[in-house]
Amino acid sequence: MTRVRHPYLDHPSPLLPFAHRGGTANGLENTAAAFRRAAAAGYRYFETDVHTTADGALVAFHDATLDRVTDVSGRIRDLPWAAVREARVAGTEPLPLFADLLEEFPDARWNVDLKTESALLPLVDLIREADAWDRVCVGSFTEARVARAQRLAGPRLATSYGVRGVLGLRLRSLGIPAALRAGAVAAQVPERQGGIPVVDRRFVREAHARGLQVHVWTVNDPARMNALLDLGVDGIMTDRLETLRAVLTERGVWS
């Protein structure tokens, strides 16, 4: 595990266990009910995503549309919050505002995937208003988007690399020169991308040499969890909360 370079990463165990979308195994992803279940299971780190509605409400939800997991259809950005709040995940649970999640879970740390450009300013403003600098890490597949968030907020904001940053880090791990954005605290990556390995011992070593933690998503198989832990990764995001907890407990690193 690399050194802690931001309060967001300060955790009593040497491995950060993330509840991916609160844990999706029960079908209630990105709902307050899912995050309550994760908290009850002992998780402190939650992963979520944010979109904005047509009237600017910052909603914790993964997809651009409501169609896949709710009883309502339509694009979130085209609907007012009054309509979106009526949708139910798995027919039972409402979509939460991210501000409400921050308030309900004051001891949680949030890894937030910034899904759209329109969510950037509302998210940064919310973190500032809630003084949640130590509780939120902002990421995005789009490197330029998360770089803009970092410029707006300054060094108080924890950020992870987007795709371009991860590619640069991977190239450097192979001895190939590549530019890297300064200021990120973590590389959050899939184990493989398009059949090509991303995380190996060289990648982890390169990240740690630059003071970056490596968080891997989304890992649900215990054998893969153990293999990644053997490589020295610093965090694992999972849908299967009990599985990861059992692996970490067996290794003596669950706190």
Side-chain angles (χ1 to χ4, degrees), residues 212-236:
L212 297 161
Q213 290 199 0
V214 177
H215 306 155
V216 187
W217 50 264
T218 303
V219 188
N220 295 322
D221 177 70
R224 299 313 310 154
M225 292 172 181
N226 276 300
L228 289 164
L229 292 169
D230 290 342
L231 290 177
V233 305
D234 307 280
I236 289 177

Side-chain angles (χ1 to χ4, degrees), residues 60-156:
F61 197 71
H62 178 269
D63 298 0
T65 70
L66 298 169
D67 303 46
R68 180 176 63 89
V69 298
T70 83
D71 53 4
V72 174
S73 62
R75 296 182 68 85
I76 292 176
R77 71 182 186 188
D78 297 333
L79 298 170
W81 170 238
V84 172
R85 71 188 305 171
E86 297 302 317
R88 293 293 181 268
V89 177
T92 61
E93 296 297 325
L95 278 65
L97 295 172
F98 185 55
D100 290 344
L101 293 177
L102 278 179
E103 183 176 354
E104 181 172 351
F105 302 95
D107 298 324
R109 305 288 173 90
W110 295 88
N111 191 86
V112 180
D113 188 348
L114 193 57
K115 288 295 187 185
T116 64
E117 190 70 23
S118 65
L120 194 161
L121 279 175
L123 178 60
V124 172
D125 286 346
L126 174 61
I127 295 169
R128 182 180 292 112
E129 291 164 8
D131 194 24
W133 302 109
D134 296 352
R135 298 172 53 205
V136 178
C137 179
V138 175
S140 174
F141 285 104
T142 305
E143 183 73 28
R145 183 177 298 152
V146 74
R148 282 192 289 275
Q150 186 178 57
R151 285 196 300 272
L152 283 169
R156 293 176 297 175

Side-chain angles (χ1 to χ4, degrees), residues 4-11 16 45 109 185 213 215:
V4 172
R5 60 185 294 179
H6 190 281
Y8 173 82
L9 300 171
D10 186 15
H11 187 259
L16 305 188
Y45 283 81
R109 305 288 173 90
V185 302
Q213 290 199 0
H215 306 155

